[in-house]
Amino acid sequence: MSRIDQRFASLKAAGRTGLIPFVTAGDPSPDAVVALMHALVEGGADLIELGVPFSDPMADGPVIQHASERAIAKGVGLGDVLRWVGEFRRRDADTPVVLMGYLNPVEIHGYEAFAAEAAAAGVDGVLLVDCPLEESAVLEPLRAAGLKTIRLAAPTTAPARMAQLCEVAEGFLYYVSFAGITGAGRLSTRDIASRVADIRSRARAPVAVGFGVRDAQSAKEIAAFADAVVIGSALVERLDGAGTADEAVARAKDFLAPIRAALDAH
């Protein structure tokens, strides 16, 4: 059983909702990444989504776009991200890590080479937002290396396509709470609760809900009907401008603590 499957099995057995924070690798500082990942775990993260900086992050809103720009300006690349995951694994062999990003850096790196290096570093899954189901055969080297390929679904996903996604889902299925970019809009849980309940009844993997989750209250509302809550833009925004690794660590822990408490009180 993979680390992701083990973690969701443990959450289910304990009756807990998973907390999945997203941070952009290299922001606010390349020197802070590994310490920040450990801080997320200490703050209550069950799984970490680590964003791979990309110059054209079309699915992301301004907050994460700017985080990518800052990381790229500091020279952060895919090789750095894999190295940081490897360093994280020296102290944490249990917390799943999923890389979130776009096809281009993986294609340039080479699918086979990326798959081998990511698996060796301790990456557990990959979410490539611009890889549609119809083109997912290119990801076979990743699956062969043991990496979970995480799928995205949205309110605009047609029924037939949703059925396909539910059938092939592995690790977890990431449900985007509204149509749009990350960090945008106002979350309305009443609009998505019934849809997520239907997906959970059919999907072969747990369902995590993200986009629009900004604080403990919105996370708690999502926890009423999801297996896990993903929170990204609000956390990235909180980390923006942290001058040192210690400051980034402190900000991350302060941000996650009330969210973890709200989920555990659910």
Side-chain angles (χ1 to χ4, degrees):
M1 183 181 288
S2 73
R3 256 191 295 258
I4 296 175
D5 294 339
Q6 288 177 345
R7 181 53 53 94
F8 275 102
S10 297
L11 288 166
K12 184 177 182 180
R16 299 173 71 234
T17 302
L19 174 58
I20 306 177
F22 167 96
V23 293
T24 300
D27 185 70
S29 166
D31 296 333
V33 176
V34 178
L36 185 55
M37 293 174 71
H38 288 300
L40 295 175
V41 176
E42 292 164 8
D46 294 295
L47 185 153
I48 295 172
E49 264 192 6
L50 193 58
V52 178
F54 182 55
S55 58
D56 186 21
M58 58 190 174
D60 292 306
V63 171
I64 295 178
Q65 286 182 16
H66 292 154
S68 280
E69 290 170 359
R70 291 191 292 268
I72 291 171
K74 293 169 184 168
V76 174
L78 183 56
D80 298 304
V81 178
L82 297 177
R83 176 169 55 82
W84 289 325
V85 174
E87 291 179 20
F88 171 76
R89 281 280 171 252
R90 294 174 189 167
R91 282 181 46 201
D92 190 322
D94 300 321
T95 305
V97 175
V98 170
L99 301 187
M100 184 172 182
Y102 297 81
L103 266 175
N104 187 264
V106 175
E107 186 170 334
I108 291 174
H109 201 80
Y111 290 102
E112 286 80 6
F114 169 78
E117 293 171 29
V123 172
D124 300 288
V126 178
L127 198 171
L128 297 167
V129 300
D130 56 350
C131 182
L133 200 56
E134 292 78 3
E135 298 178 16
S136 62
V138 298
L139 304 182
E140 186 52 38
L142 281 62
R143 288 189 284 270
L147 302 174
K148 300 290 187 183
T149 52
I150 310 302
R151 306 291 181 184
L152 279 171
T156 53
T157 301
R161 190 175 187 81
M162 184 64 80
Q164 288 179 298
L165 291 170
C166 288
E167 179 63 26
V168 302
E170 57 179 11
F172 63 92
L173 181 62
Y174 188 138
Y175 184 73
V176 176
S177 59
F178 55 82
I181 56 176
T182 57
R186 180 178 180 277
L187 184 65
S188 174
T189 54
R190 286 183 300 178
D191 295 339
I192 59 174
S194 61
R195 188 80 189 272
V196 173
D198 176 61
I199 296 169
R200 289 180 74 196
S201 72
R202 296 187 288 142
R204 298 180 59 181
V207 178
V209 176
F211 281 42
V213 184
R214 299 195 61 82
D215 51 27
Q217 181 59 38
S218 54
K220 186 176 179 180
E221 292 173 3
I222 293 290
F225 52 83
D227 295 298
V229 175
V230 183
I231 188 160
S233 294
L235 173 57
V236 172
E237 197 169 42
R238 180 68 66 88
L239 295 173
D240 183 14
T244 65
D246 288 344
E247 185 179 357
V249 163
R251 289 190 189 189
K253 288 182 178 179
D254 288 347
F255 181 83
L256 286 189
I259 297 172
R260 180 73 268 171
L263 294 182
D264 289 343
H266 161 66

